[in-house]
Amino acid sequence: MQFQMHMAGRVFFGQGASAKVKDLADSLGAKRVVVVTDKTMQELGVAEKIASFVRGTGREVFIFDEVEPEPSVETTDKAAELAREKSCDLVVGLGGGSSMDVAKAVSVLVTNEGSAAKYQGLGLVKKPGVPKIMIPTTAGTGSEVTFTAVLIRRSDGVKGGINDDKLYPDYSLLDPELTVSMPPYVTASTGMDALAHALEAYTSRQASPFSDMFAEEAMVRVGRWLRVATWNGSDMEARSEMMLASFYGGVALANAGVGACHALAYPLGGMFGVSHGVANALLLPYVARFNSLAAPAKYAKAAKLLSGISYGNLGIHEVALACSEILDEMVMDLELPNTLSKLEVGIKEEHFEEMAIKAMGVSRPMENNPRKMDLADCVKIYREAME
Ligand SMILES: [Fe+2]
């Protein structure tokens, strides 16, 4: 057995944890702070609330609220331009994965010249960035504890990650109260993304006893609480448990990577603008079915953790296959689209080849996948997921 482990810097968890941002800005001696967020957070008044925590004697706060879903290199460059121009010495990422990914990139773009596009790849960032604090408002992406910023190039629709240790957040403030405003559809899809992180890390070729521990705890919580958080959004216990699940899923993902579901989901976002969570939720049952034959012990355990059912004397392959059915039921209970045609974004059979080529190009998740997948397999899974 051999593995290494890493985590984000310091994590504060609990209702009201986001107010900590003031103490942190004080202790870091920050003078000029940029809050990277989106229009929704601005409209809900959350951006201003966080900014008011940070604003102190002699401290200026700038709010950049232009982050879009599936954030682009162009938007990131624009945010970085603001941070450079104002000589910001602290970046706060507030929102879902998109805002946090852009914030992480901005932190290193303050100290490294040029466009974000220059750093898409693995380990290309030269200098450490300015300190960064992440405050998630969704329970799903795990971006608050990972070293990745996924940005889409508008020019060719290709998604690429800046993957670098220098992107690990220095602080993460996990405040379940901030997730209460999420509508059911966002709660459900981001929650399924958290589950995809846990399950794909759990079955990854890079899985370790360390990542397994976090993945298992995340799956138990998503299985038990995601439906409640979605359909009874003011239930604080459900919100807290989902925030914890998302955090644990993020730790599992940071240490073991994701698999083929994430790779297959990429072109749905890049080519058709389907949100990351929706794309992963849709594909996860199909990928689980494909994979469970190759890693039955892990999928059988996942089925038990997600459902709370012991499955008595059933054989390992039967229980492993049940995992795919449990996921399918979850997607239906959450009223998320469960076929590509239901997405209504114009995906047709003739697109599958190009989508498969793009998915195969997402090489690291594909390499992590427990069952080897080739171009024909990708097309087959898209075809199965069509109707
Ligand atoms: Fe994800």
Side-chain angles (χ1 to χ4, degrees), residues 35 37-53 55 61 63 65 94:
V35 177
T37 189
D38 60 33
K39 288 274 187 284
T40 309
M41 287 304 115
Q42 186 73 286
E43 279 157 23
L44 289 170
V46 181
E48 187 44 47
K49 187 177 147 190
I50 297 297
S52 74
F53 288 147
R55 233 173 253 127
V61 182
I63 298 177
D65 66 358
L94 172 72

mmCIF file with all atom_site columns, all heavy atoms in Angstrom, residues 35 37-53 55 61 63 65 94:
data_model
loop_
_atom_site.group_PDB
_atom_site.id
_atom_site.type_symbol
_atom_site.label_atom_id
_atom_site.label_alt_id
_atom_site.label_comp_id
_atom_site.label_asym_id
_atom_site.label_entity_id
_atom_site.label_seq_id
_atom_site.pdbx_PDB_ins_code
_atom_site.Cartn_x
_atom_site.Cartn_y
_atom_site.Cartn_z
_atom_site.occupancy
_atom_site.B_iso_or_equiv
_atom_site.pdbx_formal_charge
_atom_site.auth_seq_id
_atom_site.auth_comp_id
_atom_site.auth_asym_id
_atom_site.auth_atom_id
_atom_site.pdbx_PDB_model_num
ATOM 1   N N   . VAL A 1 35 ? -13.727 40.316 -4.119  1.00 0.00 ? 35 VAL A N   1
ATOM 2   C CA  . VAL A 1 35 ? -14.686 39.232 -3.932  1.00 0.00 ? 35 VAL A CA  1
ATOM 3   C C   . VAL A 1 35 ? -15.143 38.794 -5.320  1.00 0.00 ? 35 VAL A C   1
ATOM 4   O O   . VAL A 1 35 ? -15.722 39.591 -6.065  1.00 0.00 ? 35 VAL A O   1
ATOM 5   C CB  . VAL A 1 35 ? -15.899 39.688 -3.082  1.00 0.00 ? 35 VAL A CB  1
ATOM 6   C CG1 . VAL A 1 35 ? -16.927 38.572 -2.962  1.00 0.00 ? 35 VAL A CG1 1
ATOM 7   C CG2 . VAL A 1 35 ? -15.451 40.159 -1.701  1.00 0.00 ? 35 VAL A CG2 1
ATOM 8   N N   . THR A 1 37 ? -17.544 36.651 -7.571  1.00 0.00 ? 37 THR A N   1
ATOM 9   C CA  . THR A 1 37 ? -18.844 36.014 -7.375  1.00 0.00 ? 37 THR A CA  1
ATOM 10  C C   . THR A 1 37 ? -19.709 36.140 -8.632  1.00 0.00 ? 37 THR A C   1
ATOM 11  O O   . THR A 1 37 ? -19.186 36.477 -9.709  1.00 0.00 ? 37 THR A O   1
ATOM 12  C CB  . THR A 1 37 ? -19.532 36.638 -6.126  1.00 0.00 ? 37 THR A CB  1
ATOM 13  O OG1 . THR A 1 37 ? -20.700 35.893 -5.807  1.00 0.00 ? 37 THR A OG1 1
ATOM 14  C CG2 . THR A 1 37 ? -19.926 38.100 -6.353  1.00 0.00 ? 37 THR A CG2 1
ATOM 15  N N   . ASP A 1 38 ? -21.005 35.836 -8.507  1.00 0.00 ? 38 ASP A N   1
ATOM 16  C CA  . ASP A 1 38 ? -21.886 35.916 -9.682  1.00 0.00 ? 38 ASP A CA  1
ATOM 17  C C   . ASP A 1 38 ? -23.072 36.839 -9.400  1.00 0.00 ? 38 ASP A C   1
ATOM 18  O O   . ASP A 1 38 ? -23.263 37.301 -8.279  1.00 0.00 ? 38 ASP A O   1
ATOM 19  C CB  . ASP A 1 38 ? -22.358 34.516 -10.106 1.00 0.00 ? 38 ASP A CB  1
ATOM 20  C CG  . ASP A 1 38 ? -23.123 33.802 -9.010  1.00 0.00 ? 38 ASP A CG  1
ATOM 21  O OD1 . ASP A 1 38 ? -23.820 34.464 -8.217  1.00 0.00 ? 38 ASP A OD1 1
ATOM 22  O OD2 . ASP A 1 38 ? -23.024 32.559 -8.920  1.00 0.00 ? 38 ASP A OD2 1
ATOM 23  N N   . LYS A 1 39 ? -23.857 37.069 -10.415 1.00 0.00 ? 39 LYS A N   1
ATOM 24  C CA  . LYS A 1 39 ? -24.992 37.996 -10.322 1.00 0.00 ? 39 LYS A CA  1
ATOM 25  C C   . LYS A 1 39 ? -26.024 37.549 -9.285  1.00 0.00 ? 39 LYS A C   1
ATOM 26  O O   . LYS A 1 39 ? -26.614 38.371 -8.586  1.00 0.00 ? 39 LYS A O   1
ATOM 27  C CB  . LYS A 1 39 ? -25.686 38.112 -11.692 1.00 0.00 ? 39 LYS A CB  1
ATOM 28  C CG  . LYS A 1 39 ? -24.858 38.899 -12.712 1.00 0.00 ? 39 LYS A CG  1
ATOM 29  C CD  . LYS A 1 39 ? -25.095 40.403 -12.619 1.00 0.00 ? 39 LYS A CD  1
ATOM 30  C CE  . LYS A 1 39 ? -24.404 41.172 -13.727 1.00 0.00 ? 39 LYS A CE  1
ATOM 31  N NZ  . LYS A 1 39 ? -22.956 41.333 -13.570 1.00 0.00 ? 39 LYS A NZ  1
ATOM 32  N N   . THR A 1 40 ? -26.247 36.220 -9.191  1.00 0.00 ? 40 THR A N   1
ATOM 33  C CA  . THR A 1 40 ? -27.235 35.719 -8.228  1.00 0.00 ? 40 THR A CA  1
ATOM 34  C C   . THR A 1 40 ? -26.855 36.105 -6.805  1.00 0.00 ? 40 THR A C   1
ATOM 35  O O   . THR A 1 40 ? -27.696 36.556 -6.024  1.00 0.00 ? 40 THR A O   1
ATOM 36  C CB  . THR A 1 40 ? -27.366 34.181 -8.338  1.00 0.00 ? 40 THR A CB  1
ATOM 37  O OG1 . THR A 1 40 ? -27.571 33.859 -9.703  1.00 0.00 ? 40 THR A OG1 1
ATOM 38  C CG2 . THR A 1 40 ? -28.523 33.653 -7.525  1.00 0.00 ? 40 THR A CG2 1
ATOM 39  N N   . MET A 1 41 ? -25.588 35.916 -6.459  1.00 0.00 ? 41 MET A N   1
ATOM 40  C CA  . MET A 1 41 ? -25.139 36.262 -5.112  1.00 0.00 ? 41 MET A CA  1
ATOM 41  C C   . MET A 1 41 ? -25.283 37.760 -4.855  1.00 0.00 ? 41 MET A C   1
ATOM 42  O O   . MET A 1 41 ? -25.571 38.191 -3.744  1.00 0.00 ? 41 MET A O   1
ATOM 43  C CB  . MET A 1 41 ? -23.676 35.839 -4.914  1.00 0.00 ? 41 MET A CB  1
ATOM 44  C CG  . MET A 1 41 ? -23.481 34.355 -4.770  1.00 0.00 ? 41 MET A CG  1
ATOM 45  S SD  . MET A 1 41 ? -24.470 33.697 -3.411  1.00 0.00 ? 41 MET A SD  1
ATOM 46  C CE  . MET A 1 41 ? -25.592 32.634 -4.283  1.00 0.00 ? 41 MET A CE  1
ATOM 47  N N   . GLN A 1 42 ? -25.068 38.525 -5.920  1.00 0.00 ? 42 GLN A N   1
ATOM 48  C CA  . GLN A 1 42 ? -25.204 39.975 -5.816  1.00 0.00 ? 42 GLN A CA  1
ATOM 49  C C   . GLN A 1 42 ? -26.687 40.337 -5.577  1.00 0.00 ? 42 GLN A C   1
ATOM 50  O O   . GLN A 1 42 ? -27.002 41.100 -4.672  1.00 0.00 ? 42 GLN A O   1
ATOM 51  C CB  . GLN A 1 42 ? -24.680 40.610 -7.116  1.00 0.00 ? 42 GLN A CB  1
ATOM 52  C CG  . GLN A 1 42 ? -24.624 42.115 -7.136  1.00 0.00 ? 42 GLN A CG  1
ATOM 53  C CD  . GLN A 1 42 ? -23.495 42.667 -6.265  1.00 0.00 ? 42 GLN A CD  1
ATOM 54  O OE1 . GLN A 1 42 ? -23.575 42.656 -5.050  1.00 0.00 ? 42 GLN A OE1 1
ATOM 55  N NE2 . GLN A 1 42 ? -22.432 43.151 -6.897  1.00 0.00 ? 42 GLN A NE2 1
ATOM 56  N N   . GLU A 1 43 ? -27.566 39.708 -6.369  1.00 0.00 ? 43 GLU A N   1
ATOM 57  C CA  . GLU A 1 43 ? -29.002 39.991 -6.232  1.00 0.00 ? 43 GLU A CA  1
ATOM 58  C C   . GLU A 1 43 ? -29.564 39.541 -4.892  1.00 0.00 ? 43 GLU A C   1
ATOM 59  O O   . GLU A 1 43 ? -30.435 40.193 -4.316  1.00 0.00 ? 43 GLU A O   1
ATOM 60  C CB  . GLU A 1 43 ? -29.790 39.323 -7.375  1.00 0.00 ? 43 GLU A CB  1
ATOM 61  C CG  . GLU A 1 43 ? -29.754 40.131 -8.662  1.00 0.00 ? 43 GLU A CG  1
ATOM 62  C CD  . GLU A 1 43 ? -30.016 39.271 -9.903  1.00 0.00 ? 43 GLU A CD  1
ATOM 63  O OE1 . GLU A 1 43 ? -30.636 38.201 -9.783  1.00 0.00 ? 43 GLU A OE1 1
ATOM 64  O OE2 . GLU A 1 43 ? -29.581 39.692 -11.001 1.00 0.00 ? 43 GLU A OE2 1
ATOM 65  N N   . LEU A 1 44 ? -29.070 38.427 -4.380  1.00 0.00 ? 44 LEU A N   1
ATOM 66  C CA  . LEU A 1 44 ? -29.555 37.930 -3.088  1.00 0.00 ? 44 LEU A CA  1
ATOM 67  C C   . LEU A 1 44 ? -28.987 38.734 -1.919  1.00 0.00 ? 44 LEU A C   1
ATOM 68  O O   . LEU A 1 44 ? -29.375 38.535 -0.766  1.00 0.00 ? 44 LEU A O   1
ATOM 69  C CB  . LEU A 1 44 ? -29.176 36.449 -2.910  1.00 0.00 ? 44 LEU A CB  1
ATOM 70  C CG  . LEU A 1 44 ? -29.916 35.444 -3.788  1.00 0.00 ? 44 LEU A CG  1
ATOM 71  C CD1 . LEU A 1 44 ? -29.268 34.063 -3.675  1.00 0.00 ? 44 LEU A CD1 1
ATOM 72  C CD2 . LEU A 1 44 ? -31.388 35.352 -3.408  1.00 0.00 ? 44 LEU A CD2 1
ATOM 73  N N   . GLY A 1 45 ? -28.038 39.623 -2.217  1.00 0.00 ? 45 GLY A N   1
ATOM 74  C CA  . GLY A 1 45 ? -27.439 40.431 -1.156  1.00 0.00 ? 45 GLY A CA  1
ATOM 75  C C   . GLY A 1 45 ? -26.323 39.727 -0.399  1.00 0.00 ? 45 GLY A C   1
ATOM 76  O O   . GLY A 1 45 ? -25.769 40.267 0.559   1.00 0.00 ? 45 GLY A O   1
ATOM 77  N N   . VAL A 1 46 ? -26.002 38.492 -0.832  1.00 0.00 ? 46 VAL A N   1
ATOM 78  C CA  . VAL A 1 46 ? -24.974 37.726 -0.122  1.00 0.00 ? 46 VAL A CA  1
ATOM 79  C C   . VAL A 1 46 ? -23.581 38.333 -0.367  1.00 0.00 ? 46 VAL A C   1
ATOM 80  O O   . VAL A 1 46 ? -22.765 38.429 0.547   1.00 0.00 ? 46 VAL A O   1
ATOM 81  C CB  . VAL A 1 46 ? -24.986 36.234 -0.550  1.00 0.00 ? 46 VAL A CB  1
ATOM 82  C CG1 . VAL A 1 46 ? -23.938 35.445 0.204   1.00 0.00 ? 46 VAL A CG1 1
ATOM 83  C CG2 . VAL A 1 46 ? -26.362 35.629 -0.325  1.00 0.00 ? 46 VAL A CG2 1
ATOM 84  N N   . ALA A 1 47 ? -23.350 38.789 -1.597  1.00 0.00 ? 47 ALA A N   1
ATOM 85  C CA  . ALA A 1 47 ? -22.051 39.391 -1.922  1.00 0.00 ? 47 ALA A CA  1
ATOM 86  C C   . ALA A 1 47 ? -21.797 40.609 -1.036  1.00 0.00 ? 47 ALA A C   1
ATOM 87  O O   . ALA A 1 47 ? -20.703 40.780 -0.478  1.00 0.00 ? 47 ALA A O   1
ATOM 88  C CB  . ALA A 1 47 ? -22.006 39.783 -3.399  1.00 0.00 ? 47 ALA A CB  1
ATOM 89  N N   . GLU A 1 48 ? -22.824 41.434 -0.889  1.00 0.00 ? 48 GLU A N   1
ATOM 90  C CA  . GLU A 1 48 ? -22.671 42.642 -0.075  1.00 0.00 ? 48 GLU A CA  1
ATOM 91  C C   . GLU A 1 48 ? -22.490 42.278 1.401   1.00 0.00 ? 48 GLU A C   1
ATOM 92  O O   . GLU A 1 48 ? -21.706 42.906 2.114   1.00 0.00 ? 48 GLU A O   1
ATOM 93  C CB  . GLU A 1 48 ? -23.890 43.558 -0.286  1.00 0.00 ? 48 GLU A CB  1
ATOM 94  C CG  . GLU A 1 48 ? -23.788 44.912 0.373   1.00 0.00 ? 48 GLU A CG  1
ATOM 95  C CD  . GLU A 1 48 ? -22.425 45.603 0.207   1.00 0.00 ? 48 GLU A CD  1
ATOM 96  O OE1 . GLU A 1 48 ? -21.897 45.646 -0.917  1.00 0.00 ? 48 GLU A OE1 1
ATOM 97  O OE2 . GLU A 1 48 ? -21.868 46.088 1.219   1.00 0.00 ? 48 GLU A OE2 1
ATOM 98  N N   . LYS A 1 49 ? -23.175 41.241 1.839   1.00 0.00 ? 49 LYS A N   1
ATOM 99  C CA  . LYS A 1 49 ? -23.053 40.800 3.237   1.00 0.00 ? 49 LYS A CA  1
ATOM 100 C C   . LYS A 1 49 ? -21.604 40.380 3.538   1.00 0.00 ? 49 LYS A C   1
ATOM 101 O O   . LYS A 1 49 ? -21.018 40.793 4.537   1.00 0.00 ? 49 LYS A O   1
ATOM 102 C CB  . LYS A 1 49 ? -24.014 39.629 3.478   1.00 0.00 ? 49 LYS A CB  1
ATOM 103 C CG  . LYS A 1 49 ? -24.110 39.185 4.929   1.00 0.00 ? 49 LYS A CG  1
ATOM 104 C CD  . LYS A 1 49 ? -25.134 38.062 5.068   1.00 0.00 ? 49 LYS A CD  1
ATOM 105 C CE  . LYS A 1 49 ? -24.722 37.105 6.176   1.00 0.00 ? 49 LYS A CE  1
ATOM 106 N NZ  . LYS A 1 49 ? -25.531 35.889 6.195   1.00 0.00 ? 49 LYS A NZ  1
ATOM 107 N N   . ILE A 1 50 ? -21.046 39.585 2.633   1.00 0.00 ? 50 ILE A N   1
ATOM 108 C CA  . ILE A 1 50 ? -19.659 39.131 2.831   1.00 0.00 ? 50 ILE A CA  1
ATOM 109 C C   . ILE A 1 50 ? -18.711 40.339 2.734   1.00 0.00 ? 50 ILE A C   1
ATOM 110 O O   . ILE A 1 50 ? -17.780 40.477 3.540   1.00 0.00 ? 50 ILE A O   1
ATOM 111 C CB  . ILE A 1 50 ? -19.286 38.043 1.790   1.00 0.00 ? 50 ILE A CB  1
ATOM 112 C CG1 . ILE A 1 50 ? -20.171 36.791 1.969   1.00 0.00 ? 50 ILE A CG1 1
ATOM 113 C CG2 . ILE A 1 50 ? -17.811 37.677 1.854   1.00 0.00 ? 50 ILE A CG2 1
ATOM 114 C CD1 . ILE A 1 50 ? -20.036 36.064 3.292   1.00 0.00 ? 50 ILE A CD1 1
ATOM 115 N N   . ALA A 1 51 ? -18.965 41.215 1.768   1.00 0.00 ? 51 ALA A N   1
ATOM 116 C CA  . ALA A 1 51 ? -18.118 42.410 1.613   1.00 0.00 ? 51 ALA A CA  1
ATOM 117 C C   . ALA A 1 51 ? -18.159 43.264 2.876   1.00 0.00 ? 51 ALA A C   1
ATOM 118 O O   . ALA A 1 51 ? -17.129 43.802 3.309   1.00 0.00 ? 51 ALA A O   1
ATOM 119 C CB  . ALA A 1 51 ? -18.582 43.224 0.404   1.00 0.00 ? 51 ALA A CB  1
ATOM 120 N N   . SER A 1 52 ? -19.347 43.337 3.501   1.00 0.00 ? 52 SER A N   1
ATOM 121 C CA  . SER A 1 52 ? -19.470 44.166 4.712   1.00 0.00 ? 52 SER A CA  1
ATOM 122 C C   . SER A 1 52 ? -18.690 43.557 5.882   1.00 0.00 ? 52 SER A C   1
ATOM 123 O O   . SER A 1 52 ? -18.190 44.264 6.736   1.00 0.00 ? 52 SER A O   1
ATOM 124 C CB  . SER A 1 52 ? -20.935 44.372 5.085   1.00 0.00 ? 52 SER A CB  1
ATOM 125 O OG  . SER A 1 52 ? -21.469 43.188 5.627   1.00 0.00 ? 52 SER A OG  1
ATOM 126 N N   . PHE A 1 53 ? -18.588 42.225 5.911   1.00 0.00 ? 53 PHE A N   1
ATOM 127 C CA  . PHE A 1 53 ? -17.747 41.574 6.931   1.00 0.00 ? 53 PHE A CA  1
ATOM 128 C C   . PHE A 1 53 ? -16.283 41.993 6.741   1.00 0.00 ? 53 PHE A C   1
ATOM 129 O O   . PHE A 1 53 ? -15.549 42.213 7.699   1.00 0.00 ? 53 PHE A O   1
ATOM 130 C CB  . PHE A 1 53 ? -17.810 40.039 6.822   1.00 0.00 ? 53 PHE A CB  1
ATOM 131 C CG  . PHE A 1 53 ? -19.105 39.417 7.262   1.00 0.00 ? 53 PHE A CG  1
ATOM 132 C CD1 . PHE A 1 53 ? -19.572 38.266 6.636   1.00 0.00 ? 53 PHE A CD1 1
ATOM 133 C CD2 . PHE A 1 53 ? -19.856 39.956 8.302   1.00 0.00 ? 53 PHE A CD2 1
ATOM 134 C CE1 . PHE A 1 53 ? -20.766 37.668 7.036   1.00 0.00 ? 53 PHE A CE1 1
ATOM 135 C CE2 . PHE A 1 53 ? -21.051 39.359 8.711   1.00 0.00 ? 53 PHE A CE2 1
ATOM 136 C CZ  . PHE A 1 53 ? -21.505 38.219 8.068   1.00 0.00 ? 53 PHE A CZ  1
ATOM 137 N N   . ARG A 1 55 ? -14.975 44.613 4.960   1.00 0.00 ? 55 ARG A N   1
ATOM 138 C CA  . ARG A 1 55 ? -14.661 46.037 4.985   1.00 0.00 ? 55 ARG A CA  1
ATOM 139 C C   . ARG A 1 55 ? -14.285 46.458 6.398   1.00 0.00 ? 55 ARG A C   1
ATOM 140 O O   . ARG A 1 55 ? -15.029 46.259 7.329   1.00 0.00 ? 55 ARG A O   1
ATOM 141 C CB  . ARG A 1 55 ? -15.895 46.835 4.513   1.00 0.00 ? 55 ARG A CB  1
ATOM 142 C CG  . ARG A 1 55 ? -15.579 47.796 3.397   1.00 0.00 ? 55 ARG A CG  1
ATOM 143 C CD  . ARG A 1 55 ? -16.864 48.424 2.858   1.00 0.00 ? 55 ARG A CD  1
ATOM 144 N NE  . ARG A 1 55 ? -17.222 47.905 1.544   1.00 0.00 ? 55 ARG A NE  1
ATOM 145 C CZ  . ARG A 1 55 ? -18.408 47.398 1.232   1.00 0.00 ? 55 ARG A CZ  1
ATOM 146 N NH1 . ARG A 1 55 ? -19.372 47.328 2.124   1.00 0.00 ? 55 ARG A NH1 1
ATOM 147 N NH2 . ARG A 1 55 ? -18.640 46.960 0.010   1.00 0.00 ? 55 ARG A NH2 1
ATOM 148 N N   . VAL A 1 61 ? -12.787 46.996 -0.552  1.00 0.00 ? 61 VAL A N   1
ATOM 149 C CA  . VAL A 1 61 ? -13.318 45.742 -1.100  1.00 0.00 ? 61 VAL A CA  1
ATOM 150 C C   . VAL A 1 61 ? -13.908 45.999 -2.484  1.00 0.00 ? 61 VAL A C   1
ATOM 151 O O   . VAL A 1 61 ? -14.670 46.946 -2.670  1.00 0.00 ? 61 VAL A O   1
ATOM 152 C CB  . VAL A 1 61 ? -14.412 45.144 -0.181  1.00 0.00 ? 61 VAL A CB  1
ATOM 153 C CG1 . VAL A 1 61 ? -14.923 43.832 -0.743  1.00 0.00 ? 61 VAL A CG1 1
ATOM 154 C CG2 . VAL A 1 61 ? -13.874 44.924 1.224   1.00 0.00 ? 61 VAL A CG2 1
ATOM 155 N N   . ILE A 1 63 ? -16.030 44.192 -5.648  1.00 0.00 ? 63 ILE A N   1
ATOM 156 C CA  . ILE A 1 63 ? -16.837 43.008 -5.980  1.00 0.00 ? 63 ILE A CA  1
ATOM 157 C C   . ILE A 1 63 ? -16.827 42.805 -7.492  1.00 0.00 ? 63 ILE A C   1
ATOM 158 O O   . ILE A 1 63 ? -17.207 43.702 -8.253  1.00 0.00 ? 63 ILE A O   1
ATOM 159 C CB  . ILE A 1 63 ? -18.288 43.156 -5.468  1.00 0.00 ? 63 ILE A CB  1
ATOM 160 C CG1 . ILE A 1 63 ? -18.304 43.283 -3.934  1.00 0.00 ? 63 ILE A CG1 1
ATOM 161 C CG2 . ILE A 1 63 ? -19.121 41.952 -5.898  1.00 0.00 ? 63 ILE A CG2 1
ATOM 162 C CD1 . ILE A 1 63 ? -19.702 43.501 -3.340  1.00 0.00 ? 63 ILE A CD1 1
ATOM 163 N N   . ASP A 1 65 ? -18.713 40.592 -10.050 1.00 0.00 ? 65 ASP A N   1
ATOM 164 C CA  . ASP A 1 65 ? -19.889 39.694 -10.011 1.00 0.00 ? 65 ASP A CA  1
ATOM 165 C C   . ASP A 1 65 ? -20.254 39.150 -11.396 1.00 0.00 ? 65 ASP A C   1
ATOM 166 O O   . ASP A 1 65 ? -21.402 38.832 -11.662 1.00 0.00 ? 65 ASP A O   1
ATOM 167 C CB  . ASP A 1 65 ? -21.088 40.432 -9.400  1.00 0.00 ? 65 ASP A CB  1
ATOM 168 C CG  . ASP A 1 65 ? -21.573 41.577 -10.277 1.00 0.00 ? 65 ASP A CG  1
ATOM 169 O OD1 . ASP A 1 65 ? -20.967 41.824 -11.328 1.00 0.00 ? 65 ASP A OD1 1
ATOM 170 O OD2 . ASP A 1 65 ? -22.572 42.234 -9.905  1.00 0.00 ? 65 ASP A OD2 1
ATOM 171 N N   . LEU A 1 94 ? -16.731 33.497 -3.755  1.00 0.00 ? 94 LEU A N   1
ATOM 172 C CA  . LEU A 1 94 ? -18.050 33.333 -3.128  1.00 0.00 ? 94 LEU A CA  1
ATOM 173 C C   . LEU A 1 94 ? -19.045 32.817 -4.156  1.00 0.00 ? 94 LEU A C   1
ATOM 174 O O   . LEU A 1 94 ? -19.313 33.487 -5.152  1.00 0.00 ? 94 LEU A O   1
ATOM 175 C CB  . LEU A 1 94 ? -18.537 34.690 -2.584  1.00 0.00 ? 94 LEU A CB  1
ATOM 176 C CG  . LEU A 1 94 ? -19.975 34.734 -2.060  1.00 0.00 ? 94 LEU A CG  1
ATOM 177 C CD1 . LEU A 1 94 ? -20.095 33.981 -0.740  1.00 0.00 ? 94 LEU A CD1 1
ATOM 178 C CD2 . LEU A 1 94 ? -20.449 36.174 -1.886  1.00 0.00 ? 94 LEU A CD2 1
#
